[in-house]
Amino acid sequence: MTYTIEKVTTLIGARRYGDRDANIGFILTDSRSLCFPEETLFFALKTGRNDGHNYIPELYRRGVRNFVVTEVPKGYASDYPEANFLKVVNTLEALQRLAERHRDEFDIPIVGITGSNGKTMVKEWLYQLLSPQMYVTRSPRSYNSQIGVPLSVWLMNEQTKVGVFEAGISEPGEMLALRDIIQPTIAVLTNIGEAHQKNFSSKLQKCEEKMVLFHDAQTVVYDADDPLVEEGLKHVDSKLPNGDSQERLGWSMKDKKAPMYIKSIEKKESATTITYIYKGGEENKYSIPFIDEASIKNSIICAIVALRIGVSADDLDERMQKLEAIAMRLEVKEGQHGCTLINDSYNSDINSLDIALDFMNRRPDHKGRRRTLILSDIQQSGEDPRELYAEVSNLARKRGVVKFIGIGPEISAQADEIQIAEKFFFKGVEQFIHSEVFHSLRDEVILLKGARNYGFDQISELLVEKVHETTLEVNLSAVVANLNYYRSFMKPETKLVCMIKADAYGAGAVEIAKTLQDHRVDYLAVAVADEGATLRRNGITSNIMIMNPEMTAFKTMFDYDLEPEVYSFRLLEALIKAAEKEGITDYPVHIKLDTGMHRLGFDPEKDMDKLIDRLKHQNAIIPRSVFSHFVGSDEDKFDDFSAHQFALFDAGSKKLQTAFDHKILRHIDNSAGIEHFPDRQLDMCRLGLGLYGIDPRTNETINNVSTLKTTILQMRHVPAGDTVGYSRKGVIDHDSVIAAIPIGYADGLNRHLGNRHCYCLVNGKKAEYVGNICMDVAMIDVTGIDCKEGDSVEIFGDHLPVTVLSNVLDTIPYEVLTGISNRVKRVYFQD
Ligand SMILES: *Cc1c(COP(=O)(O)O)cnc(C)c1O
């Protein structure tokens, strides 16, 4: 659906500058995701740290002509002769108003889903249940925020027969805006949990806030057995206009008169059958291929909504049996023959395809490799397949895809619609993996996007390099969440250096750097020049600081634009000499002061005059920043010493600044300091451990990033009296089951964890290391644990904090994380 620019101007109540005609089909809030410039309307949002207005010149150059702004650029008529600027008071509110007016165009069932957990599962399952009979528009992934909801609602078009949208809140007051945009006819509350509790005074307050979504809905769906929800409904009643009534579809296992009475829940080995009576009608059943509590409860919510929208009980049962688990993960893996594989098993539809294509397009790739898309049939009922695949083709082309592989009968039938020079089609996965096309994939970035039931897992298994069964899984979304967590303690204008030394604390510097660059951090810092050069060769263009520059590597630094730290007169002289020899001037460097660590750095009391004098009498290098490092910002008992360090730094760095006209950035806070000494954040902070999910002050997990996993190779019964492992150290005192796992001290599993000093997790249960840990293998005690060969084992990560290991080893988590050896494959994903 498109709107003329006049119409948009009226809808959002803007004042227009510029008089070009335009039709708006796309909304953009993030300049990096631009795809169709001519039809795009850019909203220049101001968030805590960023201001969309800064991207207007770049977007104009790339062809965008329509902007919603709070300030119209000066001289717009001459600088942007072809543009329309719509001036409003608040761009986020304008975005929300536009979505709201767009919503008004639709007289169809709209489902709004809120709750603490399960929103995405309910949304995706509703999609699976409804889409066989009607065209569903739903929020992509978990777009449920103040920005995500309007972008989702905007996706509704002429074909949409039902809309399904998530609404997520983290603070009081946020639901009101979301409700106005979604205007659900059916509002759903999944449950009330503990998430984000810190911003609410009580669970009831949180419940009532979520129930703001209920206020104008015709129908509401909820768990009637939760007393808190009953309490919250009273509050909703008080808001309903007099005389209005609302259809209340609560589900209950206790109350036979409940609109959705759940008579029984029968769990079998891998499926559950639910017997229900809906609105006092006949008794019916459906089964789902899951047995966990969350899936069962969410399926009941979905059943109510589907029945309410008009799915028959028989169809419901048939579709429920086929429900698929939701894969939110988008994984990046090294493939064979120089390929990189981006595997997105998230449901295949055009919106999620666009998000995955955008992800691929935005990740820099130095080698200039081809971008290939392997795509299954897209399930989207109600849309003309020709139009659908023409749209797919258009999107893929715009996002840089040069090779297209379609798999499935429907996509093959639409081969003509795909306007990409290199294209291949196969009826099924089997035909593809036996083809020449499959065997000749070389040096490509491959996006694999297919609905589960097409067997795309098989393709990914074949494409990925066969590796050691031990992997370090790195959650890129958690890295971003941690980045935002620390940014929330910082003033918007304070700059940030992200420390990715030691291969990003073991997580893998290249992929972490790509993610950080995408999130616009100001500096990346690595230890040595070679690490910086590797980043550059992988397409990283951010500023890079070298913390331990070697005198032998100045040329590398100059060649790759890497900015060294300078900590001594010897280094300073050598660097000036090298730069002069190359004819380089004003090369940025970072001056380190020693305020008490006594490791590296100039003495802020004794060296400053000489340092300033030397810097003033040359023009090869120029101080870009000056910094020092706390020795104990993570412990209160060193607060006095930290204050002393800060005073020394403050005086020394100010002295340096005074001697120069240009701004020299001052920085001293590390992860712990950002939180603990907010008033010492100065111009810039340096974030290390916190980025990787560990709070250095409490050792608690923020958002876990790295999970080290392996699998059980072999299991055996070992009778009492026998021993396990070298030197007969693992004495077995009662009959036991021992499993061998392919990870040893050569992988970074410290030998001191052996002999029952620590444990790993097997199917959620603790299994101790028995006997000495070997070089490549360790043995664990799985007596009494329900497990088998091939099962997954967590060494540390999501369920077993790495600090458990570092505490046993009497060391810090930094050492454990950076000790994971290179042969352990890193696998990246985002959810
Ligand atoms: C490693 C390092 C940091 C980051 O420290 P964290 O405790 O991991 O936040 C900051 N500054 C310097 C100079 C470092 O070497």
Side-chain angles (χ1 to χ4, degrees):
M1 253 160 121
T2 60
Y3 288 81
T4 63
I5 193 73
E6 288 87 10
K7 179 99 191 265
V8 172
T9 310
T10 322
L11 290 179
I12 63 174
R15 179 147 172 223
R16 180 164 158 204
Y17 296 76
D19 57 4
R20 289 284 170 139
D21 285 341
N23 281 318
I24 302 304
F26 299 89
I27 288 183
L28 186 71
T29 58
D30 180 338
S31 63
R32 296 162 298 184
S33 297
L34 178 64
C35 196
F36 299 99
E38 303 78 20
E39 289 180 59
T40 290
L41 177 63
F42 178 70
F43 282 78
L45 300 181
K46 285 190 185 175
T47 56
R49 325 207 95 245
N50 215 333
D51 183 350
H53 292 79
N54 298 336
Y55 301 94
I56 293 172
E58 172 203 329
L59 286 168
Y60 188 80
R61 239 178 294 123
R62 293 166 67 191
V64 179
R65 291 294 175 261
N66 297 289
F67 302 89
V68 179
V69 296
T70 52
E71 296 121 46
V72 178
K74 287 204 187 66
Y76 72 94
S78 53
D79 291 353
Y80 305 99
E82 292 170 19
N84 292 305
F85 289 98
L86 308 189
K87 182 171 156 60
V88 295
V89 176
N90 179 320
T91 44
L92 175 62
E93 281 174 16
L95 170 67
Q96 297 180 337
R97 277 311 72 70
L98 182 59
E100 193 180 321
R101 294 287 88 80
H102 182 61
R103 159 69 184 92
D104 290 342
E105 300 285 315
F106 296 85
D107 189 13
I108 56 175
I110 301 283
V111 185
I113 306 166
T114 190
S116 301
N117 310 101
K119 291 187 287 293
T120 303
M121 195 194 273
V122 167
K123 178 201 62 177
E124 287 304 317
W125 279 0
L126 275 176
Y127 175 77
Q128 292 179 24
L129 294 170
L130 299 175
S131 62
Q133 80 189 62
M134 58 191 93
Y135 186 103
V136 182
T137 295
R138 70 197 197 284
S139 334
R141 294 193 166 254
S142 40
Y143 277 27
N144 61 26
S145 66
Q146 299 288 312
I147 299 174
V149 168
L151 294 178
S152 302
V153 167
W154 177 258
L155 295 172
M156 289 200 288
N157 60 33
E158 292 91 344
Q159 288 138 25
T160 307
K161 291 287 177 298
V162 55
V164 183
F165 303 108
E166 277 181 53
I169 55 164
S170 53
E171 282 174 34
E174 290 187 333
M175 188 60 89
L176 199 61
L178 301 185
R179 182 196 67 199
D180 285 349
I181 304 165
I182 300 175
Q183 302 164 51
T185 58
I186 303 176
V188 173
L189 176 69
T190 57
N191 63 7
I192 296 290
E194 302 299 332
H196 297 296
Q197 187 74 54
K198 76 175 192 323
N199 290 328
F200 295 90
S201 61
S202 67
K203 257 179 117 168
L204 181 61
Q205 191 209 4
K206 185 164 69 171
C207 180
E208 285 176 354
E209 171 71 22
K210 289 189 192 295
M211 281 182 159
V212 168
L213 188 68
F214 280 19
H215 289 181
D216 300 316
Q218 293 157 18
T219 303
V220 296
V221 178
Y222 54 93
D223 175 357
D225 289 342
D226 183 343
L228 197 66
V229 174
E230 286 296 331
E231 203 43 48
L233 279 172
K234 288 190 199 141
H235 183 73
V236 177
D237 279 332
S238 71
K239 301 278 173 182
L240 286 175
N242 272 343
D244 261 23
S245 64
Q246 189 171 52
E247 184 182 30
R248 298 257 158 107
L249 299 182
W251 66 272
S252 173
M253 298 190 57
K254 300 179 202 146
D255 178 8
K256 291 191 174 157
K257 295 209 188 61
M260 182 68 160
Y261 170 53
I262 304 299
K263 193 170 167 202
S264 69
I265 295 178
E266 277 169 82
K267 288 190 202 179
K268 300 194 200 76
E269 193 163 321
S270 61
T272 307
T273 301
I274 290 138
T275 308
Y276 65 91
I277 297 174
Y278 177 63
K279 288 189 182 171
E282 283 173 34
E283 183 173 308
N284 272 306
K285 286 185 206 299
Y286 69 83
S287 303
I288 54 170
F290 302 97
I291 54 172
D292 62 288
E293 284 305 310
S295 296
I296 293 169
K297 287 189 169 175
N298 289 331
S299 79
I300 294 172
I301 299 264
C302 291
I304 301 173
V305 177
L307 291 166
R308 173 69 181 69
I309 290 181
V311 173
S312 71
D314 288 345
D315 284 345
L316 183 70
D317 182 29
E318 192 196 315
R319 291 173 199 167
M320 281 279 189
Q321 290 181 37
K322 290 194 229 142
L323 280 187
E324 290 177 33
I326 349 259
M328 294 292 288
R329 271 182 161 202
L330 192 149
E331 287 183 340
V332 185
K333 291 178 176 171
E334 283 318 304
Q336 296 182 335
H337 310 302
C339 293
T340 295
L341 186 69
I342 300 174
N343 187 9
D344 183 9
S345 48
Y346 188 72
N347 245 330
S348 222
D349 70 280
I350 192 111
N351 296 322
S352 79
L353 171 66
D354 187 29
I355 293 174
L357 284 167
D358 185 30
F359 178 86
M360 168 159 79
N361 198 27
R362 263 158 65 164
R363 282 192 104 62
D365 188 53
H366 69 295
K367 298 167 195 150
R369 291 180 294 181
R370 291 188 289 185
R371 294 199 166 99
T372 302
L373 170 63
I374 306 181
L375 182 69
S376 73
D377 283 353
I378 290 190
Q379 298 140 320
Q380 187 93 293
S381 65
E383 180 154 4
D384 175 359
R386 281 184 52 197
E387 277 172 30
L388 178 67
Y389 289 102
E391 207 180 330
V392 165
S393 163
N394 203 5
L395 270 180
R397 224 155 20 97
K398 295 266 181 176
R399 300 269 190 224
V401 170
V402 295
K403 181 168 166 185
F404 186 97
I405 300 171
I407 299 180
E410 219 178 276
I411 202 167
S412 302
Q414 301 302 332
D416 288 348
E417 300 305 323
I418 305 296
Q419 308 281 340
I420 289 174
E422 237 188 302
K423 58 178 178 176
F424 308 92
F425 296 87
F426 301 90
K427 287 275 175 306
V429 166
E430 282 300 316
Q431 286 90 331
F432 172 55
I433 59 183
H434 292 112
S435 72
E436 183 52 32
V437 174
F438 178 77
H439 291 287
S440 53
L441 292 168
R442 290 282 180 289
D443 301 318
E444 296 164 47
V445 181
I446 302 171
L447 173 60
L448 191 62
K449 180 100 184 80
R452 282 259 168 115
N453 46 4
Y454 284 85
F456 268 42
D457 286 356
Q458 204 185 340
I459 305 180
S460 109
E461 273 165 35
L462 289 170
L463 283 176
V464 170
E465 273 182 29
K466 289 285 166 290
V467 289
H468 195 54
E469 280 145 314
T470 301
T471 52
L472 186 74
E473 295 191 345
V474 179
N475 183 344
L476 297 173
S477 309
V479 172
V480 175
N482 294 326
L483 176 68
N484 290 334
Y485 174 79
Y486 278 92
R487 277 176 165 172
S488 75
F489 295 105
M490 292 164 53
K491 287 195 295 291
E493 61 274 18
T494 309
K495 294 185 188 308
L496 190 65
V497 187
C498 282
M499 309 305 291
I500 53 172
K501 58 192 182 188
D503 209 18
Y505 291 49
V510 171
E511 292 302 322
I512 297 289
K514 287 180 184 177
T515 298
L516 295 173
Q517 170 164 309
D518 199 30
H519 285 82
R520 304 191 165 111
V521 306
D522 305 280
Y523 266 98
L524 301 173
V526 294
V528 297
D530 269 349
E531 291 178 312
T534 303
L535 294 181
R536 287 281 184 254
R537 283 195 295 266
N538 282 280
I540 299 298
T541 52
S542 311
N543 299 316
I544 299 179
M545 215 180 262
I546 307 293
M547 306 307 281
N548 300 315
E550 318 94 304
M551 307 237 190
T552 48
F554 292 141
K555 183 78 167 65
T556 308
M557 291 177 223
F558 300 146
D559 288 350
Y560 288 98
D561 238 329
L562 309 170
E563 305 174 14
E565 152 186 332
V566 177
Y567 53 79
S568 72
F569 287 109
R570 194 168 80 97
L571 180 61
L572 180 70
E573 290 306 332
L575 182 61
I576 293 173
K577 202 167 153 206
E580 284 174 346
K581 193 171 144 221
E582 299 288 328
I584 288 171
T585 54
D586 287 343
Y587 199 80
V589 303
H590 305 271
I591 306 289
K592 184 175 208 172
L593 306 184
D594 173 22
T595 54
M597 177 80 93
H598 297 335
R599 187 169 64 179
L600 299 170
F602 294 98
D603 185 326
E605 290 178 306
K606 302 200 185 101
D607 292 340
M608 293 318 285
D609 293 332
K610 184 176 168 196
L611 175 63
I612 290 167
D613 185 61
R614 184 64 188 105
L615 287 170
K616 285 256 167 194
H617 287 92
Q618 55 84 45
N619 65 355
I621 63 173
I622 180 169
R624 175 84 184 98
S625 84
V626 53
F627 71 104
S628 189
H629 197 31
F630 285 125
V631 303
S633 55
D634 52 343
E635 289 188 77
D636 292 347
K637 67 178 179 206
F638 298 124
D639 281 358
D640 287 345
F641 191 75
S642 296
H644 164 73
Q645 280 193 285
F646 185 76
L648 281 177
F649 175 69
D650 197 40
S653 59
K654 276 184 179 149
K655 194 162 183 182
L656 182 71
Q657 176 65 82
T658 321
F660 289 88
D661 294 334
H662 73 277
K663 169 89 184 155
I664 301 177
L665 301 168
R666 302 194 306 145
H667 47 115
I668 188 163
D669 268 350
N670 55 356
S671 303
I674 294 174
E675 234 186 305
H676 193 47
F677 306 128
D679 48 351
R680 294 178 185 155
Q681 291 175 357
L682 303 174
D683 302 314
M684 188 148 86
C685 300
R686 299 187 307 272
L687 180 60
L689 192 65
L691 191 59
Y692 307 97
I694 298 163
D695 180 336
R697 291 183 51 79
T698 60
N699 260 356
E700 276 168 20
T701 308
I702 310 167
N703 295 285
N704 183 58
V705 169
S706 296
T707 299
L708 182 58
K709 278 189 179 169
T710 186
T711 52
I712 296 180
L713 285 184
Q714 192 178 22
M715 284 171 54
R716 73 179 75 245
H717 288 273
V718 179
D722 272 18
T723 62
V724 172
Y726 283 119
S727 311
R728 305 208 66 186
K729 282 280 227 172
V731 180
I732 298 296
D733 57 11
H734 59 279
D735 293 0
S736 299
V737 185
I738 301 297
I741 54 176
I743 179 169
Y745 57 81
D747 298 289
L749 189 69
N750 194 301
R751 270 184 92 241
H752 294 109
L753 298 169
N755 295 307
R756 299 192 186 269
H757 286 120
C758 199
Y759 59 89
C760 53
L761 293 181
V762 176
N763 297 333
K765 299 272 172 6
K766 294 179 184 179
E768 288 177 336
Y769 296 103
V770 188
N772 283 328
I773 289 172
C774 310
M775 187 184 289
D776 305 313
V777 181
M779 279 72 82
I780 55 176
D781 185 348
V782 293
T783 312
I785 300 179
D786 183 12
C787 63
K788 57 185 184 310
E789 290 175 2
D791 278 3
S792 169
V793 178
E794 180 171 324
I795 307 296
F796 66 74
D798 287 343
H799 309 96
L800 172 55
V802 66
T803 46
V804 169
L805 280 67
S806 59
N807 287 343
V808 168
L809 295 169
D810 198 16
T811 183
I812 47 178
Y814 301 69
E815 188 179 354
V816 180
L817 288 173
T818 57
I820 307 305
S821 75
N822 268 336
R823 77 175 185 194
V824 175
K825 209 63 192 175
R826 270 67 173 167
V827 175
Y828 300 89
F829 70 93
Q830 75 170 21
D831 47 35

